[in-house]
Amino acid sequence: MSRRTSPALWAWLAAGFAFLYIPILSLVFFSFNQSKLVTVWGGFSTRWYAALMRNEQILGAAWLSVKIAAISAVLAVILGTLVAVCLTRFGPFRGRVKTEVLTGLSLLLLFVAMEQAFGWPAGRGTLTIIIAHTTFALAYVAVVVQSRLTGMDPSIEEAAMDLGARPAKVFFLITLPIIMPALVSGFLLAFTLSLDDLVISSFVSGPGSTTLPMVIYSKVRLGLSPEINALATLLVVVVAIGVIAAGLVLKQADQARQRDAKMAASK
Amino acid sequence: MSRLGYLPLGDHLAVSAEPMVRAIVRIPPVRWALNLLGHVTSGRGLVIAVPYVWLALFFLIPFLIVLKISFADQLIAQPPYSSLVDFAEQGYVTLKLNVGNYLFLAEDALYWKAYLRSVQIAFFSALICLVIGYPMAYAMARAEPTWRSVLLMLVVLPFWTSFLLRVYAWIGLLNNNGVINNALMALGVIDQPIVMMRTNFAVYVGIVYSYLPFMILPLYATLEKMDLTLLEAAEDLGCRPFKAFLTITLPLSMPGVIAGFSLVFIPALGEFVIPDLLGGTETLMIGKVLWDEFFSNRAWPIASAVAIAMLSLVLVIMSFQHWLERRAAAAR
């Protein structure tokens, strides 16, 4: 069924993947370098991993980032889902007008104005980062959830309501399970966006709330650091395991679905 | 089709989560709790109000405040800007708008250069992404179905790893004593290192590298859905493959081209991290100018005026994109 495609096209695809992966592989390779010079090979060593594990600043920032990402992702999923449910009847939600610098600046100015007007939030820190990340991720969650909602068969909800279920019950027992994949997508997306954000956090953070990207950025500005290579390697390994595991789970679910479909057809 | 529906990882996980959630919702205590919650929250107004209050408070009002401060005077105070409304004596309320910030932007060549350079870099980066990404997406869409999901996963995987660390990786590759220069000198191709870091070239590499997946995914989505019998019909009628590509495949993939182009162009326009880490003094991009005005110069009113100028540019580009999308839809 698949059409003939020229070898040149496959070579192009391979070159494209090489472009995408060589930088990541070079990060991983030089994380095992004995030498402090990141780009000159001086023998195999895991000393930078040991150094990373002793680095209180990086570990503390990583823990803070994970906490902020978890809380803001949960909030973004709840609010984003509500927005998507409300807006499905009114047309597509276009939330992503602003770029990162704009979001960061505008939220900071809001927090400053609010503090002047009624004293809350007092100063900037973890709370303001959580609010900012929730706000910026909720647009993504709303888009993901909305695409799932529009693809959903409305007759199932209507049937439940005809049988006397209240709207809230219909939502929790019918709609929510159906849109669950989008909620999981949205959560992972919001979590990753928060964990990865440097620009917005830099605007709205205060003293004592330094997130992991802010620490990485301040180190990277000073030059290459093998500890950052070690950190990047750990991150790549975690993400790769997650993505591959998810791929295998999908494959199995797909096969199970095809089996079910075959059985249903044979009956 | 939503723009973020292209990121399949969450869907992968969620497919397995769905039966689990269905099972959990059926456990009696959970069911009772949900029923109770259903009765408590049946006030529909609350469901609608919460997200809208949040959006108004954190989306709309901040924008109005930026607009307001862009008309304020710079003060050496905390916060460093003047108030627009003055409650002067005798009960008069005076509103003072200072357009000086905008005049300053218009007069100083630095801001114009940054503005134009941002548009230029974002446009050519998106074009390079299209040239690199289109054949990749095409090959992926024509691959065996079992291979497609693996290739798709390979495109998505870099997206889930840290953006900052991927930009950092390029410093190690492009430095004067970096991997590329060391390799070329060891091979005897060059005697002197080629200066690549802190140039526009490095910024292009960084942007194309970071945003390439955003170009490939929408292109792949449209190319994969394409009806291949159209090409067979063209072939049967004696059309050469290249002409068939130009008259059938390319026009049909236009929605993907538009989506991919704007997914690269718009964020690249306001990019800060890449020009800051990889670019030099010649690479003035508007995101970096805003950052420097705010953090280094503490010029909040000027930074706000830069933000408004940038937002207007993004809005113009987005309405152009919607116009293109409507035209592409009407053509079909």
Side-chain angles (χ1 to χ4, degrees), chain B residues 179-252:
Chain B
V179 175
I180 294 175
N181 273 320
N182 284 353
L184 289 178
M185 294 214 310
L187 291 171
V189 183
I190 49 170
D191 311 318
Q192 294 273 314
I194 308 168
V195 178
M196 291 180 284
M197 264 301 281
R198 308 230 154 267
T199 61
N200 283 345
F201 170 74
V203 175
Y204 277 114
V205 170
I207 294 180
V208 169
Y209 173 71
S210 305
Y211 290 104
L212 186 59
F214 291 97
M215 179 61 85
I216 295 176
L217 293 172
L219 283 174
Y220 170 81
T222 50
L223 286 169
E224 202 239 343
K225 273 188 303 193
M226 208 184 108
D227 184 359
L228 292 180
T229 54
L230 291 173
L231 291 179
E232 278 164 26
E235 207 177 328
D236 290 348
L237 294 169
C239 183
R240 299 179 70 85
F242 186 66
K243 198 181 174 201
F245 172 79
L246 284 184
T247 51
I248 299 171
T249 312
L250 194 60
L252 281 177

XYZ file of all heavy atoms in Angstrom, chain B residues 179-252:
579
model
N 33.140 21.121 19.874
C 33.247 19.820 19.223
C 33.452 19.948 17.710
O 34.318 19.286 17.137
C 31.978 18.990 19.529
C 32.001 17.680 18.769
C 31.864 18.746 21.024
N 32.695 20.845 17.067
C 32.795 20.951 15.605
C 34.170 21.465 15.187
O 34.835 20.877 14.333
C 31.679 21.876 15.056
C 30.312 21.226 15.294
C 31.890 22.154 13.575
C 29.144 22.089 14.905
N 34.634 22.549 15.830
C 35.946 23.090 15.484
C 37.060 22.101 15.785
O 37.989 21.938 14.991
C 36.192 24.407 16.229
C 35.637 25.589 15.452
O 35.746 25.635 14.235
N 35.027 26.530 16.147
N 36.981 21.422 16.945
C 38.007 20.432 17.283
C 38.060 19.325 16.245
O 39.148 18.906 15.828
C 37.715 19.821 18.666
C 38.075 20.784 19.787
O 38.654 21.839 19.536
N 37.728 20.423 20.998
N 36.883 18.861 15.817
C 36.846 17.766 14.836
C 37.431 18.226 13.508
O 38.258 17.530 12.908
C 35.411 17.284 14.662
N 37.044 19.416 13.050
C 37.536 19.909 11.760
C 39.048 20.146 11.797
O 39.757 19.881 10.825
C 36.813 21.209 11.373
C 35.344 21.074 10.964
C 34.749 22.434 10.662
C 35.206 20.161 9.759
N 39.546 20.633 12.946
C 40.991 20.880 13.040
C 41.736 19.558 13.117
O 42.813 19.410 12.531
C 41.294 21.741 14.266
C 40.696 23.112 14.067
S 41.530 24.541 14.722
C 41.904 24.254 16.358
N 41.183 18.563 13.808
C 41.835 17.252 13.886
C 41.897 16.602 12.508
O 42.864 15.922 12.175
C 41.087 16.361 14.870
N 40.868 16.828 11.705
C 40.842 16.260 10.359
C 41.700 17.066 9.393
O 41.893 16.675 8.245
C 39.403 16.205 9.825
C 38.470 15.214 10.512
C 37.042 15.425 10.046
C 38.919 13.783 10.236
N 42.197 18.202 9.827
C 43.045 19.021 8.972
C 42.283 19.842 7.942
O 42.873 20.344 6.997
N 40.954 19.984 8.116
C 40.168 20.776 7.168
C 40.470 22.265 7.356
O 40.549 23.023 6.392
C 38.666 20.506 7.347
C 37.839 21.277 6.325
C 38.375 19.015 7.240
N 40.652 22.684 8.609
C 40.916 24.096 8.907
C 42.095 24.184 9.871
O 42.372 23.244 10.622
C 39.679 24.773 9.552
C 39.134 23.928 10.709
C 38.604 25.061 8.523
C 38.097 24.602 11.556
N 42.814 25.304 9.835
C 43.912 25.518 10.782
C 43.437 26.354 11.959
O 43.890 26.190 13.082
C 45.070 26.273 10.123
C 45.449 25.672 8.797
O 45.480 24.432 8.734
O 45.677 26.441 7.832
N 42.550 27.303 11.649
C 42.044 28.230 12.674
C 40.603 27.861 12.966
O 39.881 27.479 12.053
C 42.046 29.658 12.089
C 43.409 30.201 11.801
C 44.000 30.869 13.007
O 43.322 31.645 13.667
N 45.237 30.556 13.327
N 40.188 27.954 14.217
C 38.766 27.685 14.479
C 37.871 28.688 13.754
O 38.209 29.866 13.635
C 38.654 27.836 15.992
C 39.888 28.516 16.445
C 40.942 28.222 15.439
N 36.727 28.211 13.238
C 35.744 29.098 12.619
C 34.919 29.710 13.751
O 34.451 28.982 14.635
C 34.795 28.320 11.689
C 35.588 27.467 10.699
C 33.854 29.254 10.956
C 34.736 26.467 9.955
N 34.763 31.018 13.736
C 33.983 31.661 14.793
C 32.492 31.476 14.486
O 31.990 32.015 13.505
C 34.317 33.156 14.907
C 33.457 33.807 15.985
C 35.779 33.341 15.223
N 31.818 30.660 15.301
C 30.389 30.421 15.084
C 29.555 30.925 16.261
O 28.452 31.414 16.078
C 30.140 28.931 14.871
C 30.700 28.414 13.558
S 30.390 26.666 13.322
C 31.612 25.952 14.411
N 30.094 30.784 17.479
C 29.350 31.246 18.648
C 29.222 32.761 18.635
O 30.106 33.457 18.144
C 30.101 30.831 19.922
C 29.600 29.539 20.522
S 27.871 29.637 20.956
C 27.998 30.551 22.493
N 28.138 33.239 19.234
C 27.870 34.677 19.330
C 27.775 35.329 17.952
O 28.278 36.428 17.735
C 28.908 35.394 20.201
C 29.098 34.756 21.560
C 29.008 35.740 22.693
N 28.595 35.080 23.925
C 27.324 34.984 24.318
N 26.352 35.500 23.602
N 27.007 34.378 25.445
N 27.185 34.608 16.989
C 26.918 35.185 15.668
C 25.451 34.922 15.342
O 24.788 34.140 16.024
C 27.762 34.514 14.569
O 27.416 33.129 14.542
C 29.253 34.658 14.808
N 24.973 35.581 14.274
C 23.608 35.313 13.816
C 23.448 33.859 13.401
O 22.386 33.267 13.568
C 23.262 36.211 12.621
C 22.946 37.618 13.070
O 22.720 37.858 14.253
N 22.944 38.542 12.130
N 24.539 33.298 12.828
C 24.485 31.903 12.398
C 24.082 31.002 13.570
O 23.206 30.145 13.440
C 25.857 31.495 11.841
C 25.991 30.022 11.581
C 25.357 29.438 10.497
C 26.738 29.215 12.439
C 25.469 28.074 10.259
C 26.850 27.846 12.215
C 26.215 27.280 11.121
N 24.704 31.207 14.731
C 24.407 30.383 15.908
C 22.945 30.544 16.325
O 22.295 29.574 16.727
C 25.331 30.751 17.058
N 22.414 31.783 16.211
C 21.021 32.019 16.583
C 20.085 31.253 15.646
O 19.129 30.611 16.084
C 20.697 33.526 16.581
C 19.213 33.769 16.838
C 21.526 34.233 17.635
N 20.406 31.303 14.321
C 19.592 30.538 13.360
C 19.621 29.051 13.693
O 18.589 28.391 13.713
C 20.103 30.754 11.928
C 19.575 32.007 11.275
C 20.403 33.065 10.940
C 18.221 32.126 11.002
C 19.913 34.215 10.356
C 17.718 33.270 10.405
C 18.572 34.308 10.087
O 18.070 35.434 9.512
N 20.823 28.534 13.949
C 20.947 27.102 14.270
C 20.105 26.776 15.496
O 19.334 25.817 15.495
C 22.429 26.718 14.520
C 22.531 25.312 15.091
C 23.226 26.803 13.240
N 20.214 27.618 16.533
C 19.481 27.367 17.773
C 17.982 27.381 17.556
O 17.265 26.495 18.049
N 17.476 28.363 16.817
C 16.029 28.461 16.621
C 15.530 27.312 15.752
O 14.536 26.657 16.077
C 15.644 29.836 16.021
C 15.941 30.944 17.033
C 14.168 29.866 15.637
C 15.608 32.335 16.556
N 16.231 27.042 14.642
C 15.794 25.957 13.751
C 15.798 24.639 14.524
O 14.850 23.856 14.460
C 16.709 25.864 12.510
C 16.438 24.590 11.721
C 16.507 27.080 11.622
N 16.853 24.414 15.294
C 16.961 23.177 16.059
C 15.830 23.046 17.074
O 15.192 22.008 17.192
C 18.317 23.147 16.770
C 18.468 21.995 17.710
C 18.608 20.705 17.226
C 18.467 22.182 19.089
C 18.738 19.636 18.077
C 18.595 21.121 19.952
C 18.733 19.851 19.437
O 18.847 18.798 20.293
N 15.556 24.133 17.815
C 14.557 24.056 18.882
C 13.138 23.926 18.351
O 12.298 23.293 18.973
C 14.620 25.298 19.769
O 15.915 25.468 20.257
N 12.853 24.559 17.196
C 11.461 24.611 16.743
C 11.151 23.637 15.615
O 10.004 23.560 15.177
C 11.099 26.046 16.329
C 11.021 26.985 17.503
C 12.031 27.897 17.771
C 9.931 26.935 18.368
C 11.965 28.741 18.860
C 9.856 27.775 19.459
C 10.868 28.676 19.699
O 10.795 29.508 20.775
N 12.156 22.875 15.129
C 11.905 21.944 14.028
C 10.753 20.960 14.309
O 9.906 20.749 13.438
C 13.202 21.198 13.674
C 13.149 20.283 12.447
C 12.760 21.057 11.203
C 14.503 19.603 12.219
N 10.654 20.373 15.530
C 9.520 19.471 15.788
C 8.166 20.145 15.598
O 7.218 19.511 15.130
C 9.716 19.057 17.247
C 11.179 19.182 17.481
C 11.612 20.358 16.660
N 8.063 21.439 15.901
C 6.787 22.153 15.757
C 6.412 22.322 14.288
O 5.259 22.554 13.954
C 6.848 23.526 16.420
C 6.938 23.458 17.903
C 8.158 23.560 18.539
C 5.799 23.255 18.669
C 8.248 23.475 19.908
C 5.887 23.168 20.039
C 7.110 23.268 20.668
N 7.399 22.277 13.393
C 7.125 22.326 11.959
C 6.735 20.940 11.463
O 5.785 20.785 10.694
C 8.377 22.828 11.227
C 8.247 22.906 9.732
S 6.958 24.016 9.183
C 7.821 25.580 9.191
N 7.474 19.906 11.920
C 7.260 18.549 11.392
C 5.878 18.013 11.780
O 5.183 17.431 10.948
C 8.365 17.598 11.895
C 9.720 18.027 11.321
C 8.063 16.159 11.488
C 10.885 17.212 11.829
N 5.450 18.237 13.035
C 4.229 17.577 13.516
C 2.970 17.984 12.737
O 2.255 17.103 12.275
C 4.062 17.790 15.018
C 5.130 17.084 15.862
C 5.030 17.488 17.318
C 5.038 15.571 15.734
N 2.674 19.277 12.543
C 1.479 19.600 11.738
C 1.597 19.166 10.280
O 0.602 18.752 9.683
C 1.346 21.117 11.842
C 2.609 21.608 12.413
C 3.254 20.485 13.136
N 2.821 19.240 9.713
C 3.009 18.786 8.333
C 2.714 17.300 8.224
O 2.012 16.839 7.326
C 4.445 19.052 7.876
C 4.779 20.485 7.507
C 6.268 20.615 7.212
C 3.984 20.911 6.291
N 3.239 16.533 9.184
C 3.016 15.093 9.195
C 1.523 14.791 9.304
O 1.003 13.934 8.596
C 3.778 14.458 10.368
C 3.414 13.022 10.614
C 3.983 12.010 9.844
C 2.495 12.668 11.593
C 3.640 10.689 10.052
C 2.149 11.356 11.804
C 2.721 10.362 11.034
O 2.358 9.064 11.234
N 0.835 15.552 10.186
C -0.595 15.294 10.398
C -1.390 15.467 9.101
O -2.259 14.653 8.791
C -1.133 16.211 11.491
N -1.071 16.522 8.309
C -1.840 16.713 7.065
C -1.405 15.712 5.990
O -2.237 15.201 5.246
C -1.681 18.136 6.500
O -0.302 18.447 6.449
C -2.412 19.150 7.319
N -0.096 15.430 5.901
C 0.389 14.526 4.850
C -0.080 13.089 5.087
O -0.329 12.337 4.155
C 1.920 14.573 4.784
C 2.499 15.828 4.151
C 3.996 15.895 4.368
C 2.181 15.864 2.664
N -0.206 12.731 6.377
C -0.585 11.367 6.707
C -2.054 11.106 6.365
O -2.423 10.006 5.999
C -0.326 11.127 8.199
C -0.168 9.673 8.567
C -1.189 9.233 9.572
O -1.801 10.114 10.203
O -1.394 8.016 9.696
N -2.871 12.178 6.488
C -4.307 12.025 6.232
C -4.623 11.998 4.742
O -5.736 11.687 4.343
C -5.065 13.209 6.861
C -5.427 12.986 8.317
C -6.338 14.085 8.818
C -5.719 15.448 8.653
N -6.393 16.522 9.365
N -3.624 12.385 3.914
C -3.886 12.578 2.482
C -4.335 11.285 1.807
O -3.850 10.203 2.133
C -2.610 13.081 1.823
C -2.857 13.914 0.626
S -1.276 14.333 -0.101
C -1.368 13.319 -1.529
N -5.267 11.431 0.852
C -5.782 10.291 0.108
C -4.802 9.952 -1.027
O -4.663 10.688 -1.991
C -7.164 10.667 -0.457
C -7.805 9.493 -1.158
O -7.172 8.419 -1.210
O -8.932 9.662 -1.642
N -4.118 8.808 -0.908
C -3.066 8.475 -1.881
C -3.629 8.061 -3.232
O -2.907 8.056 -4.227
C -2.179 7.356 -1.321
C -1.319 7.744 -0.122
C -0.483 6.580 0.344
C -0.421 8.920 -0.467
N -4.921 7.720 -3.283
C -5.483 7.319 -4.577
C -5.480 8.493 -5.554
O -5.458 8.288 -6.764
C -6.915 6.797 -4.421
O -7.682 7.794 -3.743
C -6.949 5.508 -3.635
N -5.456 9.709 -5.016
C -5.371 10.885 -5.898
C -4.092 10.836 -6.714
O -4.086 11.138 -7.912
C -5.399 12.170 -5.068
C -6.699 12.531 -4.364
C -6.492 13.726 -3.467
C -7.766 12.815 -5.406
N -2.991 10.452 -6.051
C -1.712 10.379 -6.746
C -1.718 9.250 -7.762
O -1.163 9.376 -8.851
C -0.575 10.179 -5.734
C -0.265 11.351 -4.815
C 0.858 10.997 -3.874
C 0.101 12.584 -5.623
N -2.363 8.137 -7.395
C -2.447 7.012 -8.332
C -3.230 7.415 -9.577
O -2.839 7.092 -10.702
C -3.119 5.809 -7.665
C -2.145 5.008 -6.816
C -2.843 4.059 -5.866
O -3.991 3.656 -6.182
O -2.255 3.743 -4.826
N -4.326 8.139 -9.351
C -5.135 8.610 -10.480
C -4.300 9.504 -11.388
O -4.323 9.370 -12.612
C -6.353 9.364 -9.970
N -3.522 10.402 -10.764
C -2.685 11.314 -11.545
C -1.678 10.520 -12.370
O -1.437 10.802 -13.544
C -1.971 12.291 -10.615
N -1.103 9.492 -11.730
C -0.101 8.669 -12.404
C -0.744 7.933 -13.592
O -0.172 7.876 -14.673
C 0.455 7.668 -11.399
C 1.873 7.220 -11.695
C 2.371 6.290 -10.603
O 1.958 6.450 -9.434
O 3.141 5.388 -10.914
N -1.932 7.381 -13.340
C -2.636 6.661 -14.412
C -2.907 7.573 -15.599
O -2.924 7.134 -16.742
C -3.966 6.100 -13.899
C -3.745 4.954 -12.934
O -2.590 4.462 -12.865
O -4.697 4.570 -12.232
N -3.132 8.835 -15.301
C -3.430 9.776 -16.375
C -2.155 10.340 -16.996
O -2.198 11.287 -17.775
C -4.311 10.916 -15.853
C -5.711 10.470 -15.412
C -6.415 11.578 -14.673
C -6.538 10.018 -16.602
N -1.012 9.783 -16.609
C 0.244 10.152 -17.246
C 0.959 11.342 -16.629
O 1.839 11.929 -17.257
N 0.599 11.692 -15.410
C 1.252 12.835 -14.755
C 2.573 12.366 -14.160
O 2.652 11.311 -13.547
C 0.324 13.372 -13.672
S 0.950 14.808 -12.833
N 3.625 13.162 -14.342
C 4.920 12.788 -13.764
C 4.891 13.040 -12.253
O 4.197 13.938 -11.797
C 6.025 13.605 -14.421
C 6.126 13.357 -15.917
C 7.217 14.205 -16.528
N 8.553 13.745 -16.123
C 9.197 12.770 -16.763
N 8.649 12.157 -17.781
N 10.398 12.406 -16.368
N 5.670 12.229 -11.480
C 5.603 12.332 -10.013
C 5.829 13.751 -9.479
O 5.129 14.201 -8.578
C 6.703 11.388 -9.539
C 6.883 10.425 -10.650
C 6.545 11.150 -11.915
N 6.804 14.463 -10.083
C 7.111 15.788 -9.547
C 5.950 16.749 -9.788
O 5.595 17.548 -8.912
C 8.391 16.330 -10.193
C 8.840 17.630 -9.578
C 9.266 17.673 -8.255
C 8.818 18.805 -10.310
C 9.664 18.857 -7.682
C 9.216 20.004 -9.736
C 9.639 20.023 -8.417
N 5.324 16.635 -10.957
C 4.177 17.498 -11.248
C 3.001 17.136 -10.345
O 2.271 18.003 -9.867
C 3.788 17.376 -12.724
C 2.933 18.541 -13.158
C 2.499 18.463 -14.589
C 1.524 19.594 -14.880
N 0.717 19.316 -16.043
N 2.835 15.832 -10.102
C 1.767 15.380 -9.201
C 1.986 15.963 -7.814
O 1.048 16.400 -7.142
C 1.738 13.859 -9.144
N 3.250 16.006 -7.382
C 3.549 16.585 -6.077
C 3.148 18.059 -6.041
O 2.484 18.518 -5.110
C 5.043 16.435 -5.768
C 5.473 17.175 -4.531
C 5.218 16.641 -3.280
C 6.091 18.419 -4.622
C 5.584 17.326 -2.141
C 6.455 19.101 -3.479
C 6.196 18.559 -2.236
N 3.535 18.802 -7.106
C 3.260 20.244 -7.120
C 1.769 20.542 -7.216
O 1.285 21.494 -6.599
C 3.978 20.914 -8.300
C 5.479 21.129 -8.146
C 6.007 21.892 -9.350
C 5.782 21.907 -6.869
N 1.025 19.738 -7.984
C -0.383 20.079 -8.205
C -1.323 19.415 -7.212
O -2.447 19.873 -7.044
C -0.814 19.702 -9.636
O -0.443 18.343 -9.868
C -0.183 20.594 -10.675
N -0.892 18.332 -6.545
C -1.798 17.637 -5.627
C -1.309 17.699 -4.183
O -1.953 18.274 -3.311
C -1.984 16.163 -6.054
C -2.600 16.110 -7.446
C -2.867 15.432 -5.043
C -2.617 14.736 -8.041
N -0.109 17.126 -3.919
C 0.352 16.985 -2.533
C 0.567 18.344 -1.870
O 0.073 18.593 -0.771
C 1.658 16.176 -2.491
O 1.487 15.010 -3.290
C 1.993 15.773 -1.070
N 1.287 19.216 -2.571
C 1.630 20.502 -1.953
C 0.390 21.331 -1.597
O 0.267 21.784 -0.458
C 2.591 21.271 -2.872
C 3.298 22.461 -2.246
C 4.146 22.019 -1.060
C 4.175 23.167 -3.268
N -0.566 21.516 -2.543
C -1.755 22.294 -2.158
C -2.541 21.651 -1.016
O -3.037 22.355 -0.134
C -2.604 22.322 -3.438
C -1.659 22.035 -4.537
C -0.582 21.183 -3.978
N -2.608 20.294 -1.017
C -3.366 19.632 0.045
C -2.689 19.776 1.407
O -3.338 19.693 2.442
C -3.560 18.146 -0.281
C -4.661 17.832 -1.281
C -4.704 16.346 -1.564
C -6.009 18.298 -0.751
